[in-house]
Amino acid sequence: MQRKGLTRRDFLHLSTLTIAGLVAASCTPAVPPAQAPAETSGDTAAPASGDKQRVTIFVGFGTGTAPEQVKAENELADEYNASQDKIAVEYLVVPYEDAITKFTAMVAAGTAPELCMPIGVDGVSWFLDEWVDIEPYISRDNYDLSDFYTSTLDLHKNSVRNATFGLPGTLYPSMIYYNEELFDAAGLDYPPHSFGESDWTYARLEELALQMSMDAAGMNATEPTFDRDNQVQWGYDESCQEGNNPRSLAMQWGSKHSGFSEDYRTARLNDPEWIDRWQWVSDAIWKKAIMASEQENRTIQINPFLTGKVAMYFCHTWTLGEAFQDTEFAWNIAAVPAGPTGAIMSPMSADTFTIPSSAQNPDAGWEVAKWMFSETNLPKLCGIWNCLSARQSGQEAFKQMMQDKYPRMDLQVIFDAVQYLDKPLAEGWVPSPKQVLDLVANSVGIIRTGDNQDAKAVLDALNVEVQKVTDEYWAQRS
Amino acid sequence: MKLRPSQREALTAYGLISPWLVGFLIFTLGPTLVSLVLALTRYSITNPPIWVGLENYQKIFTDDPLFRQAVKVTFTYVILALPLQLILGLLLALLLNAQVPGLSVWRTIYFLPSVISGVAVALLWIYIFNPRFGVLNWLLSLVGIEGPAWLESTTWALPSLVLMSVWGVGGSMILYLAGLQGVPTQLYEAAKVDGANAWRRFWAVTLPGISPVIFYSLVIGAIGAFQYFTNAYVMTRGGPKYATLFYNLYLYNNAFRYFEMGYASALAWILFVMILFFTLLTFRSSSLWVYYEGQVK
């Protein structure tokens, strides 16, 4: 029997039906972003119903995206939703690498979230024109700021827009992590834990670091037979600050700014304090061998201190999330030493919340932010985000959290460090922040790779480049 | 209205290619035309585009040292990596065209690296190139050579990426193998009868016989080289000191780090013109050195 095959007409009909089905499927209404599944695992809060205002909290500009964090954040959202019936909160969690793209797409599409939280000072600076000024809300509600550390009240103000974009929230001060065993092996006293001790200066740090920078034969960097090419241990490392917060370092040498004039129209990255500080970095690597070069620092682990080969490490509290509980050596934290001018400065990383101006429910966003940053709940958020609360009343909760994980760590150093934060905040806004960051990082790289060990030459060239970017920025805004 | 058979056939054809056509119009041609317009604007995504005319192109050609650096880095990579990949791929194919024991195993070994995903390979090579702990400098130390800083050196960073590019020659090796096996054996026999030695047979029979494959590899390889991005993004981010600032990476920075979408669109169109020029040049030259079976010259 002859088998009847598919005729050309049948095939055309089938193709047409298939195409029509595909087109119909693609033309169905899109799921609103607030109901879209989170890009990391975790339950979402119940969608808004009735006349409740929806508040979407965008997480992705900083911490808060790990699965256990998402679970805890959603529990907090459920708690808020259960406590009132006017607003429905839900989280939208986005991986850090995709956060900027996702956020800009949402803003461009008119679906901006009501809150971005947590967001660092640098994250705020990337979208300077996008945020709502919360000063009117603070004044309207007579919001009590007395519980916040006084030194943190200006962290999220911006002089260019003359606005405040968020409340003090999370704090990640910086200090000197030190390897007790390397100090013991060198027969040296540990660095002091109290800020402001008269003999704790960068000169003293340098002396200690020289004695703990060792080669494979056990010679330290003060000895004439020290072999730099076979160095196995370094006395000091601040690659964390150089990579994360390079504009803060000159403030330790007495600079009163983070690279710009007060009106942000003039670049000042080659001021004398800057040149002196960065020449210190260059000499520390290439002449004194107390810091590892970029080539030497390319170890398997991200954090050089955790290799056990660095005696002192200048970094923030957020680095504690990188397996500090699993170290095979005893360590503790010490105060940041004073610079040559006597200035003591502990660079601060600080997160807050922001309300996009294109959000549909900004007022509701403010109500949720107040609840989240309240005396009761900010410590809970800091428990999720592994941070020090900017509320003084949150100290006890922080102590409990840290003592459980790091029972030997001297927490008073962290509390004291808050008083020495950088002003203006070095992570804060500058014209064309990402371009300036890239230019600064490139110059840091030049010094750390040894391509040019003359800090003045590097910073003079950098200043010209940054000034050009600054001039272009202001020309576009005028 | 009753359609003629030719009309029905044409409709069938369009119907069958319509999914691709719709996708091309919506996701390729449409955005391409939009970017042509955006290249004449200043556009930061969160604010509406502002018309600036040819200002972006003017800045690119007169006032952007990083553009010149990106072009220099990219062209240097194309000049170094492309011939290396073509020659090494061909050499491997010639070696693996012989009947030796374990031939399929060897072919698999050389082909495997080309199927591993880009980011995983980049992360692997970061460790290989590590100046203190990497296997490359360790191997060099065995023969008394002190290895350079590789990715941390402004001199060696780009050559490191060129060296890394040979990791994926397995893909072109497979193409060459197919080409080699398509060369008629009678030509080799005739050449032997005429007294041609091995080199002469390679030059006069093999190379012309596989010239279409070389041509294809050259065009596709050049397009890929001009668009080099993943390894530079993952491994160096354009450093140190912009030594590996590839054109596509610079374009990406302008678009997705600095939110200069208009400027990035202008850069994209300049890249398109560069690649188009090179491709047309290659096509034009092909009549001189590419031989197709049955073609009479």
Side-chain angles (χ1 to χ4, degrees):
Chain A
M1 183 174 87
Q2 192 176 13
R3 196 169 154 204
K4 188 181 177 203
L6 195 64
T7 65
R8 183 181 295 168
R9 179 173 293 190
D10 291 339
F11 192 77
L12 182 59
H13 290 159
L14 191 62
S15 301
T16 309
L17 277 172
T18 306
I19 292 160
L22 286 171
V23 170
S26 66
C27 288
T28 53
V31 176
Q35 289 178 356
E39 293 190 31
T40 59
S41 62
D43 299 325
T44 56
S49 59
D51 53 0
K52 282 189 184 182
Q53 288 187 302
R54 185 193 309 282
V55 168
T56 302
I57 302 179
F58 184 97
V59 179
F61 284 116
T63 187
T65 58
E68 63 276 9
Q69 290 177 313
V70 172
K71 184 169 179 294
E73 284 160 350
N74 280 310
E75 285 169 3
L76 207 56
D78 290 343
E79 188 183 327
Y80 179 78
N81 290 336
S83 70
Q84 47 76 53
D85 57 4
K86 291 191 167 46
I87 295 171
V89 166
E90 56 192 22
Y91 276 90
L92 175 61
V93 181
V94 176
Y96 177 75
E97 303 77 31
D98 302 330
I100 292 178
T101 313
K102 176 81 174 182
F103 179 73
T104 48
M106 289 178 75
V107 170
T111 57
E114 276 67 35
L115 281 177
C116 294
M117 190 177 79
I119 181 167
V121 173
D122 52 356
V124 174
S125 72
W126 300 334
F127 300 98
L128 183 72
D129 294 325
E130 185 54 35
W131 312 122
V132 164
D133 178 7
I134 65 167
E135 281 291 349
Y137 287 127
I138 293 174
S139 301
R140 182 195 72 184
D141 296 351
N142 213 18
Y143 191 81
D144 182 9
L145 297 170
S146 61
D147 188 33
F148 293 99
Y149 287 102
T150 312
S151 59
T152 67
L153 290 176
D154 293 342
L155 280 177
H156 306 294
K157 289 184 193 272
N158 179 271
S159 58
V160 171
R161 276 196 51 197
N162 196 25
T164 300
F165 298 133
L167 295 172
T170 72
L171 302 175
Y172 299 93
S174 51
M175 58 283 306
I176 304 291
Y177 294 80
Y178 65 93
N179 185 323
E180 289 180 352
E181 292 174 17
L182 295 186
F183 272 81
D184 292 341
L188 296 169
D189 290 337
Y190 301 153
H193 291 197
S194 302
F195 280 79
E197 288 201 8
S198 59
D199 61 347
W200 185 226
T201 62
Y202 263 87
R204 177 64 184 147
L205 180 145
E206 200 177 298
E207 284 171 13
L208 293 175
L210 280 166
Q211 295 176 68
M212 288 185 288
S213 298
M214 316 281 284
D215 64 19
M219 298 291 126
N220 69 41
T222 65
E223 289 165 298
T225 53
F226 172 70
D227 181 4
R228 176 66 196 273
D229 292 335
N230 284 302
Q231 189 164 0
V232 297
Q233 184 177 301
W234 289 264
Y236 180 62
D237 189 292
E238 59 177 29
S239 53
C240 165
Q241 295 293 8
E242 289 164 17
N244 183 65
N245 211 346
R247 292 186 290 122
S248 68
L249 297 181
M251 291 183 179
Q252 292 184 301
W253 259 231
S255 175
K256 299 284 185 258
H257 59 80
S258 64
F260 283 81
S261 58
E262 269 189 42
D263 61 0
Y264 292 100
R265 288 183 183 261
T266 306
R268 296 179 58 183
L269 294 115
N270 59 345
D271 276 5
E273 298 88 357
W274 280 72
I275 292 171
D276 286 347
R277 181 55 167 96
W278 282 96
Q279 192 59 54
W280 187 91
V281 171
S282 179
D283 292 346
I285 297 173
W286 302 110
K287 290 192 175 147
K288 295 169 188 163
I290 61 173
M291 293 210 299
S293 65
E294 188 66 21
Q295 297 89 321
E296 290 163 333
N297 231 354
R298 278 276 185 144
T299 56
I300 303 297
Q301 295 188 29
I302 297 169
N303 186 323
F305 186 70
L306 294 177
T307 63
K309 296 178 183 169
V310 171
M312 293 180 284
Y313 182 59
F314 186 16
C315 198
H316 297 259
T317 52
W318 44 248
T319 200
L320 287 166
E322 296 169 11
F324 267 73
Q325 287 170 282
D326 303 327
T327 59
E328 292 176 354
F329 55 88
W331 59 271
N332 215 319
I333 54 176
V336 180
T341 62
I344 302 173
M345 200 268 300
S346 164
M348 179 70 77
S349 285
D351 291 350
T352 183
F353 65 84
T354 47
I355 304 173
S357 58
S358 48
Q360 288 182 3
N361 302 311
D363 291 351
W366 164 248
E367 294 303 318
V368 173
K370 274 196 305 186
W371 187 89
M372 291 283 183
F373 275 47
S374 64
E375 201 173 313
T376 311
N377 295 314
L378 187 55
K380 289 183 194 173
L381 281 176
C382 279
I384 300 171
W385 298 336
N386 213 32
C387 60
L388 171 63
S389 163
R391 285 186 173 274
Q392 297 174 76
S393 57
Q395 270 198 15
E396 279 311 309
F398 179 77
K399 271 185 192 170
Q400 195 58 54
M401 177 176 69
M402 285 291 156
Q403 275 165 354
D404 288 344
K405 291 183 192 174
Y406 315 105
R408 297 182 64 248
M409 188 166 70
D410 184 355
L411 299 175
Q412 194 57 45
V413 175
I414 298 175
F415 299 133
D416 292 344
V418 176
Q419 309 308 324
Y420 294 92
L421 61 84
D422 38 333
K423 281 189 174 183
L425 210 62
E427 287 184 0
W429 180 86
V430 293
S432 299
K434 286 260 190 199
Q435 275 181 284
V436 169
L437 184 69
D438 283 353
L439 289 170
V440 173
N442 181 59
S443 293
V444 169
I446 290 170
I447 290 174
R448 289 182 54 77
T449 56
D451 279 314
N452 192 336
Q453 299 172 23
D454 179 355
K456 182 174 188 322
V458 171
L459 290 177
D460 281 345
L462 170 64
N463 205 62
V464 168
E465 290 176 314
V466 170
Q467 186 62 57
K468 191 172 159 211
V469 167
T470 304
D471 292 341
E472 278 172 9
Y473 173 84
W474 288 112
Q476 286 176 6
R477 272 184 94 89
S478 61
Chain B
M1 184 182 80
K2 195 168 167 54
L3 296 172
R4 292 198 301 273
S6 60
Q7 286 175 323
R8 281 205 303 273
E9 196 167 332
L11 268 180
T12 306
Y14 283 121
L16 287 172
I17 67 167
S18 60
W20 177 87
L21 202 57
V22 168
F24 174 75
L25 290 172
I26 295 174
F27 297 113
T28 304
L29 187 63
T32 302
L33 294 174
V34 169
S35 79
L36 186 60
V37 175
L38 285 180
L40 304 170
T41 69
R42 189 183 312 131
Y43 179 47
S44 63
I45 302 180
T46 52
N47 295 311
I50 301 169
W51 182 264
V52 295
L54 296 175
E55 192 178 292
N56 290 329
Y57 290 103
Q58 189 182 1
K59 185 187 168 190
I60 287 170
F61 288 113
T62 63
D63 196 25
D64 188 350
L66 287 183
F67 165 76
R68 293 191 285 278
Q69 173 66 11
V71 169
K72 179 183 158 198
V73 167
T74 306
F75 271 65
T76 306
Y77 177 82
V78 170
I79 289 166
L80 292 177
L82 194 53
L84 196 62
Q85 289 164 12
L86 291 174
I87 293 168
L88 275 177
L90 178 57
L91 278 176
L92 274 177
L94 287 169
L95 287 170
L96 295 176
N97 198 34
Q99 293 304 317
V100 296
L103 184 64
S104 56
V105 174
W106 288 112
R107 286 179 180 177
T108 307
I109 287 171
Y110 281 105
F111 181 65
L112 263 180
S114 59
V115 301
I116 301 173
S117 80
V119 174
V121 168
L123 293 174
L124 174 68
W125 277 91
I126 286 175
Y127 294 138
I128 292 174
F129 281 129
N130 187 297
R132 281 177 69 82
F133 307 105
V135 69
L136 196 53
N137 276 0
W138 174 73
L139 286 171
L140 289 172
S141 70
L142 294 179
V143 292
I145 298 173
E146 187 182 336
W150 298 113
L151 297 173
E152 309 309 325
S153 161
T154 49
T155 310
W156 285 95
L158 187 57
S160 303
L161 297 178
V162 170
L163 186 65
M164 191 186 147
S165 71
V166 302
W167 169 266
V169 293
S172 57
M173 175 198 77
I174 293 293
L175 292 173
Y176 284 126
L177 270 174
L180 285 169
Q181 285 166 17
V183 179
T185 51
Q186 306 91 298
L187 295 177
Y188 288 111
E189 288 162 6
K192 268 188 198 167
V193 165
D194 287 347
N197 60 19
W199 167 254
R200 191 73 198 145
R201 290 198 299 275
F202 171 76
W203 185 258
V205 177
T206 306
L207 270 187
I210 62 168
S211 58
V213 179
I214 297 175
F215 174 64
Y216 170 81
S217 298
L218 177 62
V219 171
I220 299 300
I223 292 172
F226 274 108
Q227 295 180 326
Y228 192 85
F229 173 78
T230 305
N231 293 336
Y233 178 78
V234 174
M235 299 170 77
T236 63
R237 297 288 172 118
K241 206 179 167 186
Y242 304 120
T244 58
L245 184 67
F246 283 84
Y247 194 98
N248 235 7
L249 180 60
Y250 184 54
L251 195 160
Y252 169 88
N253 285 344
N254 274 281
F256 300 109
R257 279 182 68 78
Y258 313 148
F259 302 123
E260 299 277 359
M261 283 295 179
Y263 196 76
S265 298
L267 287 170
W269 276 95
I270 292 170
L271 178 64
F272 170 73
V273 169
M274 285 197 289
I275 295 175
L276 182 65
F277 177 74
F278 181 87
T279 307
L280 285 174
L281 201 66
T282 310
F283 269 83
R284 274 297 182 93
S285 71
S286 67
S287 60
L288 299 171
W289 58 278
V290 181
Y291 300 90
Y292 294 100
E293 195 174 336
Q295 183 188 28
V296 176
K297 283 204 176 197

